[in-house]
Amino acid sequence: MKTKLYSPNTSSLAYPVGTTLDRFIKLKQEEFQFASGELSQLLRDIALAAKIVNRETNRAGLANIGGAFGQTNVQGEEQQKLDVIANIRFTRALTKGGEVCAIVSEEDDEVIDLQNGSGKYVVAIDPLDGSSNIDVNISIGTIFSIYRRVTPIGSPIQPEDIMQPGNQQVAAGYVLYGSSTMLVYTTGHGVNGFTYEPSLGEFFLSHQNMVAPSDGNIYSVNEGSYYQFEAGLQEYIEHCKAKFYSARYIGSLVADFHRNLLKGGIYIYPATQKSPNGKLRLLYEANALSFIAEQAGGKATDGHGRILDIQPTALHQRTPLFIGSKNMVDEAGNFLKKNATTVARKGVLVQ
Ligand code: FDP
């Protein structure tokens, strides 16, 4: 029998489609600290749920799934129908996969104990972030953190399995439902981004080894709350303006973070007089994005210390968040240090 060696065909008639998320996860499996394949499967489960949520999000305007669900979540925020749908989709995928023993979700008051005797992993998830943007067709996201449980597999879930600082994450990521849908994740070996190809129903590697520029000229903060900010932050914002930086704030954390990760910039959700601990949640928002920021060479603090070193004390704990390009986060921190006061410098709401 005559044979010939395979050489890749580079004909323009059939361009290669690239590396799928599944194949990439498989190729990278040996990099995981615990290379048993379960974490790989868990990432695939999340990707599957993300595809379903992407489908629901895309047809939200047609399928009567926009708008409020009629209930509030544990934060007292009105739940949107898509929040609830996304929560069901991700919880179901994580339950069926069998790798997870417990889930912390923005949409559930308590930890969901999956009573899965063989589950090694705990997942903290914000199934649909930026939900006030759903009805106006603006980018929204999913944010997830993955931890290994610390108590023996098969034993009842304990608080220490759940309340782990962000520096114990084994993987984290986000999905951005934007002008295209992307899944970005890290397992502690750099950050990689995948873009969804709807006609093939697959995520393809599009952003390999993402690196956050160490400087930038975008600042993202809700300046409507300016008079509630502490003096140091007000001065930092004045500094950004004096340097002619661009203000960009969509009000969808994932979208604002993603833009700044690619282009260079800082996202700030600070302590305000109304919310002295900020608004964002440590376990399923700040930790995941901080892990990704650091893995891409960026930085994340609460204005003072590293987010990933905060020991959680409550499930739905909030934290101020300063995240993005390293030098910008450092500079903002220096402004806060110089003006160490919680009193707003000017405005109507001084204490
Ligand atoms: P949302 O309440 O719409 O879910 O996570 C909370 C969040 O959005 C972030 O995505 C967003 O950056 C922020 O809140 C917006 O809050 P403000 O409206 O207070 O700026």
Side-chain angles (χ1 to χ4, degrees), residues 283-304:
L283 259 67
Y284 40 80
E285 291 181 312
N287 273 342
L289 299 187
S290 299
F291 189 22
I292 291 169
E294 287 195 7
Q295 282 295 314
K299 190 161 180 174
T301 72
D302 62 357
H304 307 283

Side-chain angles (χ1 to χ4, degrees), residues 6 8-18:
Y6 172 73
N9 190 323
T10 52
S11 163
S12 60
L13 291 174
Y15 285 118
V17 289

Side-chain angles (χ1 to χ4, degrees), residues 129-132 222 249 251-253 267 269 279-281 285:
D129 180 69
S131 46
S132 48
N222 185 344
Y249 187 77
S252 257
L253 172 59
Y267 172 97
Y269 206 109
K279 177 182 184 190
L280 303 176
R281 276 53 59 114
E285 291 181 312

Side-chain angles (χ1 to χ4, degrees), residues 34-287:
F34 311 98
S36 63
E38 284 151 310
L39 183 55
S40 299
Q41 185 53 46
L42 173 45
L43 288 167
R44 287 192 205 105
D45 294 340
I46 289 177
L48 174 62
K51 288 179 195 176
I52 300 171
V53 171
N54 177 61
R55 184 191 66 189
E56 310 286 358
T57 306
N58 279 184
R59 61 194 190 98
L62 297 170
N64 192 29
I65 50 176
F69 178 58
Q71 285 179 18
T72 53
N73 65 15
V74 66
Q75 333 288 333
E77 297 160 350
E78 189 175 50
Q79 284 182 306
Q80 305 296 305
K81 285 184 203 159
L82 265 175
D83 280 335
V84 177
I85 291 170
N87 195 35
I88 295 170
R89 291 294 181 188
F90 280 101
T91 309
R92 192 178 287 158
L94 294 171
T95 309
K96 290 235 163 110
E99 299 83 17
V100 179
C101 56
I103 302 171
V104 178
S105 166
E106 186 193 20
E107 303 304 329
D108 289 292
D109 306 9
E110 289 161 349
V111 177
I112 306 166
D113 181 348
L114 299 183
Q115 300 197 304
N116 169 13
S118 57
K120 286 182 187 157
Y121 294 100
V122 171
V123 173
I125 187 162
D126 182 352
L128 211 57
D129 180 69
S131 46
S132 48
N133 280 326
I134 293 170
D135 284 350
V136 285
N137 229 339
I138 287 173
S139 302
I140 46 182
T142 296
I143 308 173
F144 60 91
S145 287
I146 304 175
Y147 296 84
R148 260 178 91 88
R149 62 175 299 176
V150 293
T151 57
I153 294 162
S155 63
I157 294 294
Q158 298 299 322
E160 59 265 37
D161 293 320
I162 309 296
M163 307 298 256
Q164 301 190 51
N167 57 32
Q168 294 302 306
Q169 290 171 99
V170 292
Y174 61 83
V175 184
L176 172 61
Y177 310 97
S179 44
S180 53
T181 294
M182 277 194 73
L183 189 151
V184 175
Y185 82 93
T186 182
T187 55
H189 299 273
V191 180
N192 291 286
F194 300 79
T195 300
Y196 186 59
E197 209 316 354
S199 67
L200 296 174
E202 292 280 7
F203 284 101
F204 286 94
L205 181 63
S206 53
H207 296 63
Q208 194 161 11
N209 281 327
M210 295 168 80
V211 176
S214 47
D215 260 310
N217 57 12
I218 297 173
Y219 70 103
S220 308
V221 61
N222 185 344
E223 267 189 89
S225 303
Y226 180 90
Y227 292 127
Q228 295 191 54
F229 296 161
E230 62 184 283
L233 179 55
Q234 291 181 332
E235 287 192 2
Y236 177 66
I237 291 171
E238 302 298 336
H239 167 79
C240 291
K241 290 179 178 175
K243 293 196 107 181
F244 302 119
Y245 288 171
S246 292
R248 293 282 183 276
Y249 187 77
I250 300 177
S252 257
L253 172 59
V254 172
D256 282 313
F257 172 80
H258 181 73
R259 180 197 50 242
N260 294 352
L261 181 69
L262 295 182
K263 296 195 165 203
I266 184 170
Y267 172 97
I268 302 173
Y269 206 109
T272 64
Q273 285 175 340
K274 200 169 115 201
S275 314
N277 297 318
K279 177 182 184 190
L280 303 176
R281 276 53 59 114
L282 176 64
L283 259 67
Y284 40 80
E285 291 181 312
N287 273 342

